Amino acid sequence: MVVNSVRFLLFFIVVFTVYYLPVSKKYPRFQNLWLLLSSYFFYGVADWSMVPLLIGATIVFYGLGLWLKNEMQKQHRKNASRLTTLGVCLGIGLLLYFKYLNFFAESFAELLSAIGFKATWTTLHIVLPIGVSFFTFKLISYIIEVHREHIEPCKDFIEFATYIAFFPTLLSGPIDRPNTFIPQLRRSHSLDYVQAVDGCRQILWGMFTKICIADHLALVTDSIWADYTSQSGSTLLIWTLLYTMQIYTDFDGYSNMAIGVGKILGFNITRNFNHPLLARNIAEFWRNWHISLTSWITDYVFMPLNIAFRNLANWGVMLAVVINIVLIGLWHGANWTFGLFGLYHAMLYVPLVLSGSFGKNKKLRPNDHGLPKWTDLWKMLLNYFLVSLGFIIFHADSIADAFRFFGGILSNSLFSMPSLPLKKATLLFILIVLILEWTTRKKEHPLQLSTDGIFKYTVARYLLYAGIGLMLFLFAGEVETFIYFQF
């Protein structure tokens, strides 16, 4: 049941109606219970067999949080540290078992065979629970934040379970922190018209980027990749640039829809993208791309490592960065391509660390005509190109496939005319997104319209919404699943 489907719309109408019933608004616990049941149903539609896993993990970490707090109140610091370590290990263990067990076992067996030892490994039929990479990070951060005394553990199981299973973000994030989300569950929610309208606008924009751009780009990129060995170098190069736009509009589209649904229900969900196409280097890119993941890894992995390696100066920073970014890559899946993807991005950090510009975040300032300065523009274009090369590795089934693709780009037909079955309207929509990336860079999403121009008139705003709705109707095809559902 994807967010941009009719089934989800019908599901959400029922959720919305019961959630805002007069009797519901008086009791936040009832609203939370309704959200929890709705979330389990939503997850069950994806895979009912995995609902017990989600509930079981929630029960374990709920009890662990209360136990941890009890040990801390008794000043049993060693016991508290052991419980925190246990919680982190349990969360990582879930990921290792469901996502990586077969991969590492098969890789180890191949290594033994390569050096002359006979090794057999029967692949286990382990089903990857959808959303496991997202809700396990919620579980881990909850235990860590309780141990750091940044939050009080939830005494109300329904409250905690709703945070873990909140359906708009359950399958593909964003990954909300307990510090910011759980307090929102402790108050009743009445319909906030302004917030709800903004949520609807954000959903509309997310649907536009997903349906009118990402889904149509998928038709092109999928067909080229399926036969990339026979494509010209110019076609493969264009694929490289288009796939980055596809994955951005796909995942940003989902994030906008999830955040918009949350707003309608009265919740402020973590922002996941902040105009990453305007990034001038790889550090800026990762600060603004998949923000909820990168900030999570930065806070819980990079910062402790950076402190541990502080005596190594720049070498320590680089080592922490490499570990950090490689982990971000491997988070995406059990394949060496994701590790190489992370390593490639980590290497792009090296010049920043050596030059002393790592960690600096200079604001973008337009020139006298309101356009990007040339010095910023060429850095944006170069960074986009470098990031796009990395997504070849990300998309490939194997490292060998990735290198064959790179080799195809450098073929003798690099400067031939590319063959792309791409609709002109899709190119127009991409251009619109690129323009809006710059012109709305200070806004959360492009449909947060200014009230001092033409859009101060109600009729102008509604004509814009109707125009986007018409584009959705004209360009909607078969509902395509979101790329990040597989992670």
Side-chain angles (χ1 to χ4, degrees):
M1 183 162 51
V2 292
V3 184
N4 56 319
S5 66
V6 175
R7 284 206 303 169
F8 180 83
L9 176 61
L10 297 175
F11 162 77
F12 185 67
I13 289 173
V14 175
V15 173
F16 176 89
T17 302
V18 176
Y19 185 73
Y20 282 123
L21 285 174
V23 66
S24 303
K25 293 187 291 186
K26 294 181 181 180
Y27 305 103
R29 197 163 189 268
F30 177 80
Q31 286 185 319
N32 292 343
L33 176 60
W34 175 242
L35 283 180
L36 178 61
L37 294 176
S38 301
S39 297
Y40 285 155
F41 174 81
F42 177 78
Y43 193 63
V45 170
D47 188 351
W48 277 109
S49 65
M50 290 301 165
V51 174
L53 171 69
L54 177 61
I55 296 174
T58 302
I59 292 172
V60 169
F61 277 78
Y62 168 74
L64 202 58
L66 294 176
W67 189 5
L68 173 59
K69 181 63 177 179
N70 184 55
E71 293 296 330
M72 292 170 65
Q73 287 176 337
K74 294 178 179 178
Q75 300 297 312
H76 296 166
R77 298 189 179 278
K78 287 186 178 180
N79 289 345
S81 295
R82 291 188 185 110
L83 287 174
T84 303
T85 302
L86 174 62
V88 172
C89 289
L90 286 174
I92 294 174
L94 277 175
L95 283 177
L96 289 176
Y97 176 76
F98 285 102
K99 200 166 185 176
Y100 302 103
L101 179 61
N102 273 328
F103 167 68
F104 285 120
E106 289 170 358
S107 297
F108 183 66
E110 289 173 4
L111 176 63
L112 290 178
S113 297
I115 60 177
F117 291 94
K118 186 177 181 181
T120 58
W121 169 257
T122 302
T123 301
L124 301 177
H125 297 289
I126 301 174
V127 178
L128 177 65
I130 190 168
V132 66
S133 298
F134 295 93
F135 70 74
T136 50
F137 270 31
K138 285 185 180 182
L139 294 168
I140 293 171
S141 62
Y142 172 75
I143 291 298
I144 293 175
E145 294 303 316
V146 169
H147 184 248
R148 291 178 175 178
E149 299 186 277
H150 292 169
I151 60 169
E152 288 293 316
C154 292
K155 295 181 180 179
D156 185 343
F157 175 77
I158 293 173
E159 177 183 279
F160 176 66
T162 304
Y163 159 63
I164 300 299
F166 188 56
F167 72 85
T169 62
L170 178 59
L171 302 186
S172 284
I175 306 168
D176 280 300
R177 302 289 184 87
N179 321 47
T180 57
F181 194 85
I182 290 176
Q184 298 182 66
L185 292 167
R186 292 173 177 165
R187 62 175 185 267
S188 60
H189 293 272
S190 298
L191 183 63
D192 184 321
Y193 177 78
V194 174
Q195 185 184 34
V197 168
D198 188 54
C200 290
R201 294 192 191 108
Q202 197 160 357
I203 293 171
L204 183 63
W205 177 251
M207 292 183 68
F208 172 76
T209 59
K210 167 62 176 170
I211 293 172
C212 295
I213 302 178
D215 286 355
H216 284 271
L217 286 178
L219 298 176
V220 177
T221 58
D222 289 351
S223 64
I224 293 173
W225 187 272
D227 190 31
Y228 72 87
T229 55
S230 63
Q231 303 287 345
S232 67
S234 56
T235 300
L236 299 184
L237 184 60
I238 297 298
W239 180 97
T240 304
L241 302 177
L242 290 179
Y243 183 69
T244 300
M245 181 59 66
Q246 177 196 337
I247 197 170
Y248 174 51
T249 52
D250 187 282
F251 194 22
D252 183 51
Y254 177 88
S255 297
N256 277 316
M257 285 185 261
I259 293 169
V261 170
K263 285 181 177 179
I264 295 173
L265 297 173
F267 292 90
N268 293 311
I269 294 173
T270 301
R271 187 175 184 177
N272 224 14
F273 292 89
N274 185 17
H275 309 291
L277 301 187
L278 302 180
R280 292 159 292 183
N281 56 57
I282 197 65
E284 282 188 10
F285 175 80
W286 280 110
R287 277 196 292 267
N288 298 303
W289 177 280
H290 203 345
I291 299 170
S292 64
L293 171 65
T294 54
S295 63
W296 195 101
I297 298 283
T298 298
D299 289 348
Y300 299 127
V301 178
F302 174 76
M303 294 306 295
L305 288 176
N306 199 31
I307 293 171
F309 301 152
R310 60 183 178 273
N311 293 331
L312 300 177
N314 278 347
W315 290 106
V317 175
M318 283 192 286
L319 182 57
V321 166
V322 169
I323 295 172
N324 194 61
I325 302 300
V326 169
L327 284 177
I328 288 176
L330 287 173
W331 173 91
H332 287 86
N335 195 320
W336 290 119
T337 54
F338 294 119
L340 182 59
F341 166 77
L343 184 61
Y344 167 78
H345 278 258
M347 292 302 100
L348 296 179
Y349 273 87
V350 173
L352 300 178
V353 175
L354 294 177
S355 65
S357 58
F358 174 71
K360 295 181 180 179
N361 191 18
K362 295 181 180 179
K363 291 184 178 180
L364 283 168
R365 299 186 185 279
N367 61 22
D368 295 337
H369 303 289
L371 300 173
K373 294 180 179 179
W374 171 245
T375 52
D376 285 334
L377 182 59
W378 78 262
K379 290 178 182 177
M380 292 177 197
L381 294 174
L382 176 61
N383 189 67
Y384 184 89
F385 179 69
L386 293 174
V387 167
S388 297
L389 292 179
F391 276 123
I392 295 174
I393 308 170
F394 181 93
H395 186 274
D397 292 327
S398 67
I399 293 176
D401 282 340
F403 280 101
R404 277 193 290 269
F405 194 97
F406 282 120
I409 293 176
L410 300 174
S411 68
N412 295 330
S413 56
L414 176 59
F415 299 103
S416 65
M417 184 63 68
S419 175
L420 297 169
L422 190 62
K423 293 183 178 179
K424 293 180 180 178
T426 305
L427 289 174
L428 175 62
F429 296 149
I430 291 173
L431 179 62
I432 291 172
V433 168
L434 292 174
I435 293 172
L436 291 177
E437 280 285 299
W438 174 256
T439 57
T440 65
R441 63 191 180 279
K442 295 182 180 179
K443 298 180 180 180
E444 186 180 353
H445 62 86
L447 294 188
Q448 286 183 330
L449 304 174
S450 174
T451 57
D452 56 0
I454 188 174
F455 292 115
K456 69 180 179 181
Y457 301 107
T458 303
V459 65
R461 295 196 298 273
Y462 279 92
L463 283 174
L464 174 64
Y465 305 148
I468 295 175
L470 179 61
M471 293 301 101
L472 293 175
F473 175 77
L474 292 176
F475 289 92
E478 184 178 346
V479 177
E480 296 282 344
T481 188
F482 291 88
I483 292 173
Y484 265 67
F485 275 13
Q486 63 186 295
F487 305 131

